[in-house]
Amino acid sequence: MGPHTATGLVPERYRRMVLASRPVDKPDTTHFRLEEVGMPGVAAGQVLVRNRYLSIDPYMVGRMYTTQSYAAAQALGETMVGETAGHVIASQHPDFQIGDAVVGALGWQEYGVSDGTNLRRVDEQRAPLSAYLGMLGMTGVTAWYGINRICRPVEGDTVLVSAAAGAVGGVAVQLAKAKGCKVIGIAGGEQKCHYVTRVLGANACIDYRPLASKEALTEEIFKHAVDGVDAFFDNVNGWVLDAAFPAMSLGGRIALCGMIGRYGNRSMQLLSHHFLLLSRLTAQGFIVWDHVGEWGRAVDELSDLMDGGLLRSEETRAFGIEAAPHACLGLLAGKNVGKQLVQFY
Amino acid sequence: MGPHTATGLVPERYRRMVLASRPVDKPDTTHFRLEEVGMPGVAAGQVLVRNRYLSIDPYMVGRMYTTQSYAAAQALGETMVGETAGHVIASQHPDFQIGDAVVGALGWQEYGVSDGTNLRRVDEQRAPLSAYLGMLGMTGVTAWYGINRICRPVEGDTVLVSAAAGAVGGVAVQLAKAKGCKVIGIAGGEQKCHYVTRVLGANACIDYRPLASKEALTEEIFKHAVDGVDAFFDNVNGWVLDAAFPAMSLGGRIALCGMIGRYGNRSMQLLSHHFLLLSRLTAQGFIVWDHVGEWGRAVDELSDLMDGGLLRSEETRAFGIEAAPHACLGLLAGKNVGKQLVQFY
């Protein structure tokens, strides 16, 4: 335990990032505002946490708008919502002690008060603290759910993963490989494709950037999946999803995990969705928060795979809360490899 | 058994309908050709069937093109493929006797030879012969599968059915009603809507024809499904499917059964499919032929519901094989109510 665990050393003020205004078209850094606020007191039943890591996730951008996301809209002038990992530095709560490593949703701020709801103690002996926001957190469990509950690939199946160099996509690639599948990634740029094949172990990775059309992407998918794609873990939607439809095998499964494609410049409309019917496909949208009952099992399996060396947890870190907006916007531009975190200290 | 069951009275020639040419844009009667051909002999292991009814189904149109359908393309100059019901009039097959009522896929022709493959004996005491092409045939089993295996509504759920006055849609409406659901139909024209509510028992039916836009249809759906649609049995696709997406409840199920909408004048592209993700929907395309293992159970349940007065089997009949093309094209224009049949004699 460092000096931050002694309540006597808690500063009087700390910094947080609020939503200053809503984007009309695309979000930029002017939509955020950094504020300094007074340290709150800790009432009975509460704990004060010093956040060390903030998880940056695509859903955060959706929340900046009023009606575009499955998540409730982010309130103006309030602390941006987000998952955090840190240590308890003051506690009036029977379940938490000073020094406990905890994961919660305390938002884009250096410190936060919690009544214990949704605050989980985690074991830093088992995995580094940041892993609980990535591989052993929402990121990993999302990939686990999509692969195990929707894609359901068996050994020898061909599995396609879009945004394969992203946090969730990267785990999905590795989970499918661990099941003995042939895995084809889709990512933007040579460097990312190199990462997806060499580091994550995908059999192939398609760089979509030089492709002029949806049809060209379909053709590339067929090149690597001659007999079709049995399962598609999709983080992009739009033209990438549309390009994959014709390449799906009969009875194929599509896990609709994200729509990062909506922040790009290509079309979101679907024209080839008749393959859902023609090829008897199942497309299922999901959000990991709907399946909290599976969380424990997922984390256990992910931990075992990590221990066995079958899962690599890649991170891109930005430093300091002032870097958070840039990191968040960078996610939309595909600047991260693996899990995007902001480290506060 | 009438005189047609005596082999001595079999005519020397009979009529069949072949595909004369493929439509480039929309199909019309010039794409069909009526032919008279010689009566085939009956070899060992074969039966000769005099067809009484031909089932007219939307998939037939897809087969007229080369690549638009899940079904293999119909060969040029060959007898149009189709489900038939009739009686055995000559048999060299141990499992079939003269006079047996049978259902098979003998195509658009007055007589047909079969080696017994896919030929099923049916019981005319239990239900009229034509019912085995409708309620107790592909039509009924399709509705049964979509409702029971994909839509999976429970009592109190709100179920939406498009093309609700059509053969499959009409059964889907009644199956959902029998489960205690609130059922909302979509159909074209006041007369059909009247049929869907008064005869089939739907709680409401939306006439899409006067609606100027997709948004107007969404609004109409919300009027009748204030808390959203739990399950959608869709026979239309395109703009109707797109209009339904925003009205689906969290976790809603969509059975993609048909694309009759592709023969209309409105758009087939999807723009609101992001609700698949936002509302965690499952959309599943299906074809009843993939699920032959469920056929027996489905027919038993459908028979029981018919016997209990909970299922009405509505038919639209055309007479004579020469009327078949017109009946088939009429299906696309929504001219039928319930199951469209051609009666040969």
Side-chain angles (χ1 to χ4, degrees), chain A residues 8 21 42 45 96 111 145 181 188 191 193-195 235 243 248 262 281 299 305 309 311 318:
Chain A
S21 60
V42 181
F96 297 94
Y111 293 80
Y145 188 89
C181 299
Q191 197 186 343
C193 283
H194 193 269
Y195 165 74
N235 297 295
M248 297 299 296
R262 86 183 325 162
L281 309 177
V299 169
L305 287 166
L311 271 186

Side-chain angles (χ1 to χ4, degrees), chain B residues 15-83:
Chain B
R15 296 182 301 166
R16 67 177 191 180
M17 192 69 70
V18 302
L19 183 64
S21 59
R22 296 193 192 282
V24 175
D25 185 20
K26 299 207 171 176
D28 59 49
T29 53
T30 67
H31 298 109
F32 301 90
R33 185 175 63 240
L34 189 63
E35 289 184 348
E36 208 177 272
V37 292
M39 188 66 65
V42 180
Q46 294 185 336
V47 295
L48 178 63
V49 178
R50 183 179 185 191
N51 296 323
R52 180 153 198 177
Y53 300 106
L54 166 67
S55 171
I56 299 290
D57 299 285
Y59 76 85
M60 291 167 166
V61 178
R63 290 181 54 109
M64 294 173 71
Y65 298 85
T66 43
T67 56
Q68 285 203 8
S69 179
Y70 42 83
Q74 164 77 45
L76 278 178
E78 297 291 329
T79 306
M80 288 285 294
V81 170
E83 311 276 302

Side-chain angles (χ1 to χ4, degrees), chain A residues 68-70 237-238 241 256-259 262 268-271 273-274 276-278 280-287 290, chain B residues 68-70 237-238 241 256-259 262 268-271 273-274 276-278 280-287 290:
Chain A
Q68 285 204 8
S69 178
Y70 42 83
N237 210 287
L241 176 59
L256 301 172
C257 179
M259 302 192 73
R262 86 183 325 162
M268 286 305 285
Q269 73 178 19
L270 298 185
L271 290 166
H273 55 281
H274 52 284
L276 281 167
L277 180 53
L278 305 193
R280 294 84 128 174
L281 309 177
T282 300
Q284 183 174 348
F286 76 106
I287 290 168
D290 289 343
Chain B
Q68 285 203 8
S69 179
Y70 42 83
N237 209 288
L241 175 59
L256 301 172
C257 180
M259 302 192 73
R262 84 183 326 162
M268 286 305 285
Q269 73 178 19
L270 298 185
L271 290 166
H273 56 281
H274 52 284
L276 281 167
L277 180 53
L278 305 193
R280 295 83 129 173
L281 309 177
T282 301
Q284 184 174 349
F286 76 106
I287 290 167
D290 289 343

Side-chain angles (χ1 to χ4, degrees), chain A residues 100-236:
Chain A
D100 280 352
V102 288
V103 168
L106 297 177
W108 296 29
Q109 53 186 354
E110 294 169 324
Y111 293 80
V113 167
S114 167
D115 64 359
T117 306
N118 296 328
L119 198 69
R120 291 181 298 125
R121 273 203 312 276
V122 296
D123 181 359
E124 289 188 272
Q125 303 302 317
R126 188 174 192 187
L129 184 59
S130 64
Y132 290 99
L133 290 179
M135 186 64 75
L136 302 181
M138 194 177 73
T139 299
V141 177
T142 296
W144 182 92
Y145 188 89
I147 288 289
N148 286 286
R149 294 291 180 261
I150 301 176
C151 288
R152 301 187 308 277
V154 296
E155 195 178 338
D157 273 1
T158 297
V159 178
L160 181 69
V161 179
S162 63
V168 171
V171 183
V173 164
Q174 296 176 83
L175 290 176
K177 278 307 293 181
K179 287 179 183 295
C181 299
K182 176 176 180 180
V183 180
I184 303 162
I186 300 174
E190 271 183 49
Q191 197 186 343
K192 283 189 179 178
C193 283
H194 193 269
Y195 165 74
V196 170
T197 51
R198 302 295 172 86
V199 179
L200 300 181
N203 298 71
C205 188
I206 299 164
D207 180 3
Y208 71 80
R209 293 206 174 165
L211 301 178
S213 67
K214 185 184 87 167
E215 289 71 22
L217 179 53
T218 304
E219 203 172 301
E220 284 296 314
I221 296 170
F222 265 125
K223 263 187 210 163
H224 298 289
V226 179
D227 297 324
V229 171
D230 301 299
F232 177 25
F233 191 110
D234 179 41
N235 297 295
V236 177

